Amino acid sequence: DIQMTQSPSSLSASVGDRVTITCRASQSINNYLNWYQQKPGKAPNLLIHTASSLQSGVPSRFSGSGSGTDFTLTISSLQPEDFATYYCQQSYTTPLTFGGGTKVEIK
Amino acid sequence: EVQLVESGGGLVKPGGSLRLSCAASGFTFSSYNMNWVRQAPGKGLEWVSSISSSSSYIYYADSVQGRFTISRDNAKNSLNLQMNSLRAEDTAVYYCARGLEMATSRNWFDPWGQGTLVTVSS
């Protein structure tokens, strides 16, 4: 199985900060990497698919990059509504696997 | 508007069975792969199973293989998950999620339903 490792597991940031979350795959997954945002008590929401493609309706302050084994999700200017938990997911092969999540909290 | 609504969750004893359903609307259900993803209380996300648009391809996580069965009824726009031999570790919110509109296992999930809670406890 492909293991997905996210870092950090949590971070504290202020509104307006630039935030970067990293996801590393245990083997190459080309660009088959997706990012989700989940708020407490809600279902996850797709932000980015295939490493860097912004899902329709997602604000442009979110961006993704990377290929192979190393990927990043960047929020260029953190907004109050962005405080949530973020998950990466590889779709290269089954079993489809998720990272452990990164909780973004208010500083 | 694309909508997915899960139902069928509840409290069940270890070793028992439960059948989850997901009602889809707002899109051509028969064209899309569909998936189940679960989340144990306070934990991360775990993919459970995927089914292709025509049910030709079905995949399961090792943790549920042989106990869970995914199925779909394209005439009724419905996705199902039959869960047998349930264990305490199956306790989770189960989400239905749409996959891609092509014959592939390489799905991302969008959108998701609101989830249904399954609790396995004596």
Side-chain angles (χ1 to χ4, degrees), chain B residues 73-114:
Chain B
D73 185 336
N74 287 343
K76 295 182 178 179
N77 291 347
S78 176
L79 175 72
N80 303 296
L81 186 68
Q82 177 66 41
M83 304 186 296
N84 298 332
S85 303
L86 283 162
R87 306 166 179 167
E89 54 264 36
D90 295 319
T91 294
V93 173
Y94 285 73
Y95 295 102
C96 161
R98 190 179 70 174
L100 297 186
E101 193 179 7
M102 66 177 70
T104 180
S105 62
R106 293 175 165 169
N107 289 281
W108 57 81
F109 309 121
D110 179 66
W112 300 54
Q114 86 288 350

Side-chain angles (χ1 to χ4, degrees), chain B residues 34-57:
Chain B
M34 295 298 296
N35 308 272
W36 290 99
V37 179
R38 69 184 181 184
Q39 186 169 36
K43 302 297 184 182
L45 301 167
E46 180 188 16
W47 169 77
V48 173
S49 183
S50 299
I51 186 168
S52 63
S53 58
S54 61
S55 303
S56 298
Y57 302 101

Side-chain angles (χ1 to χ4, degrees), chain B residues 15-29:
Chain B
S17 298
L18 211 55
R19 184 177 178 85
L20 305 183
S21 294
C22 172
S25 60
F27 66 102
T28 305
F29 179 75

